[in-house]
């Protein structure tokens, strides 16, 4: 089964329910769960790359949406030392299989699996969110990701992107695309920038992680991007790097960056 990719399934016109029936076997085919995505496991080298790209480590709580046999959640804990991982899958058969795998690998103290609809679960505590779903499902999840996950949460998807929200990084591994997004803090609005002993009025606009702004109404303004709570922008060919904290942005040390400035919401 793993030789077939989910992308090849996505291009078929068969109803997902029928595909699910075919994929999960005759015993379940009578009353298959109404899956939004059929079960196709991510190949192990791609799992490894997804977790590497997300820089999973000991401070991380990972949630895998549509967790299949549990391989991503188990590997996060076992191979990358994540402090805990949760897999959510609608198919009870997959949850049973994942729980058996976690038991066999001796990681049940850190890895749990829940049966349920990924759209109904609270995922706001995730530090890393992983997905191997479909474009349509990713797009339904996009507002949830942007509005409920903490700024700085890493989101990694195998094969399917998030539409016009460009990834912060992407790679191709063994022919499979892997995408990384870092949830941006919301920074749009009116700011007062204190710089070189002067106050400037700055109007920031934001589209996902990309930020543009007008300074004192001048058409040539600033352009930059959010990486979690960090705002990095250039203005008059000078680099500024700041950390957003509530209604303040304060300069932080960075190579070649201007120091001694601060901004607060007007
Ligand atoms: C392509 S598989 C990915 C499995 C695993 N994440 C991996 O990468 O190996 C998609 C999984 O999503 C599950 N699924 C489909 N619709 C779902 C839904 N609405 N809520 C939760 N899980 C769902 C399927 O049962 C299947 O196990």
């Amino acid at each position: 089964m793993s030789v077939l990719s989910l992308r090849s399934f996505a291009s078929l016109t068969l109803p997902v329910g029928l595909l699910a029936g075919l994929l999960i076997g005759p015993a379940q085919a009578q009353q298959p769960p109404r899956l939004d995505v059929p079960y196709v496991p991510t190949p192990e080298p791609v799992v490894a790359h997804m977790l590497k790209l997300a820089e999973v480590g000991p401070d991380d709580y990972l949630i895998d949406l549509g967790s299949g046999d549990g391989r991503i959640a188990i590997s996060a804990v076992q191979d990358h030392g994540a402090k805990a991982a949760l897999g959510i899958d609608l198919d009870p058969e997959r949850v049973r299989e994942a729980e058996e795998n976690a038991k066999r690998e001796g990681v049940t103290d850190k890895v749990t699996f829940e049966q349920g609809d990924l759209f109904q679960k609270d995922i706001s505590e995730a530090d890393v969110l992983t997905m191997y779903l479909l474009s349509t499902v990713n797009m339904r999840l996009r507002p949830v990701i942007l509005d409920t996950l903490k700024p700085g949460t890493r989101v990694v998807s195998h094969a399917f992107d998030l539409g016009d929200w460009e990834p912060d990084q992407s790679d191709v591994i063994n022919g499979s695309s892997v995408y990384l997004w870092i949830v941006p803090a919301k920074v749009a609005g009116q700011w007062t920038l204190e710089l070189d002993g002067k106050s400037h009025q700055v109007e920031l606009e934001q589209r996902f992680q990309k930020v543009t702004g007008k300074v004192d109404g001048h058409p040539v303004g600033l352009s930059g991007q959010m990486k979690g709570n960090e705002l990095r922008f250039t203005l008059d060919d000078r680099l500024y790097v700041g950390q957003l904290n509530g209604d303040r942005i304060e300069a932080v040390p960075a190579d070649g960056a201007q120091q001694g400035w601060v901004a607060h919401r007007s």
Side-chain angles (χ1 to χ4, degrees):
M1 187 62 66
S2 59
V3 291
L4 296 169
S5 76
L6 188 52
R7 187 166 279 290
S8 62
F9 281 110
S11 65
L12 295 176
T13 52
L14 288 173
V16 166
L18 176 56
L19 279 174
L22 291 171
L23 287 163
I24 64 179
Q28 296 285 314
Q30 299 300 316
Q31 281 189 322
R34 294 168 63 89
L35 299 177
D36 292 292
V37 187
Y39 174 54
V40 181
T42 295
E44 294 292 358
V46 181
V47 172
H49 198 76
M50 289 170 78
L51 298 175
K52 187 175 159 208
L53 200 58
E55 297 182 9
V56 173
D59 293 333
D60 291 328
Y61 172 51
L62 176 142
I63 298 180
D64 184 31
L65 292 180
S67 43
D69 67 0
R71 59 183 61 201
I72 295 177
I74 292 169
S75 179
V77 161
Q78 201 169 44
D79 306 322
H80 297 261
K83 74 177 172 207
L86 168 68
I88 297 167
D89 206 291
L90 191 57
D91 189 339
E93 189 55 38
R94 294 280 85 76
V95 173
R96 263 193 296 279
E97 190 184 351
E99 283 172 342
E100 275 167 23
N101 290 339
K103 203 168 169 186
R104 198 188 56 239
E105 297 301 323
V107 292
T108 50
D109 56 333
K110 289 186 173 173
V111 183
T112 49
F113 295 97
E114 283 180 17
Q115 190 271 327
D117 184 353
L118 60 90
F119 290 106
Q120 305 301 323
K121 299 283 182 181
D122 178 1
I123 56 171
S124 59
E125 291 303 310
D127 301 297
V128 177
L129 186 74
T130 53
M131 326 186 282
Y132 180 28
L133 301 168
L134 289 169
S135 296
T136 47
V137 179
N138 280 8
M139 288 306 277
R140 282 173 65 198
L141 277 170
R142 195 170 86 171
V144 180
I145 290 170
L146 285 164
D147 295 339
T148 68
L149 296 188
K150 303 180 287 277
T153 303
R154 290 93 80 202
V155 179
V156 181
S157 173
H158 171 197
F160 298 96
D161 64 20
L162 284 167
D164 58 350
W165 179 7
E166 287 177 19
D168 293 280
Q169 205 178 325
S170 65
D171 284 326
V172 176
I173 178 90
N174 293 1
S176 295
S177 295
V178 175
Y179 303 96
L180 168 74
W181 297 264
I182 296 170
V183 174
K186 295 185 192 314
V187 75
Q190 304 289 336
W191 293 82
T192 302
L193 172 66
E194 312 285 355
L195 174 66
D196 297 335
K198 290 185 188 147
S199 285
H200 304 273
Q201 289 309 305
V202 180
E203 186 185 338
L204 292 183
E205 290 185 2
Q206 181 174 11
R207 179 91 179 131
F208 307 114
Q209 69 273 61
K210 302 219 168 117
V211 177
T212 52
K214 281 193 188 130
V215 181
D216 297 328
H218 294 311
V220 180
L222 64 80
S223 84
Q225 63 173 44
M226 295 300 296
K227 187 175 178 188
N229 281 305
E230 182 194 272
L231 173 63
R232 186 174 277 261
F233 64 92
T234 51
L235 177 63
D236 291 335
D237 293 329
R238 294 203 290 184
L239 173 69
Y240 296 79
V241 183
Q243 188 74 14
L244 173 71
N245 188 359
D247 286 341
R248 273 174 80 80
I249 306 172
E250 286 188 41
V252 292
D255 268 0
Q258 298 298 308
Q259 292 302 303
W261 61 274
V262 67
H264 48 87
R265 283 197 191 267
S266 308

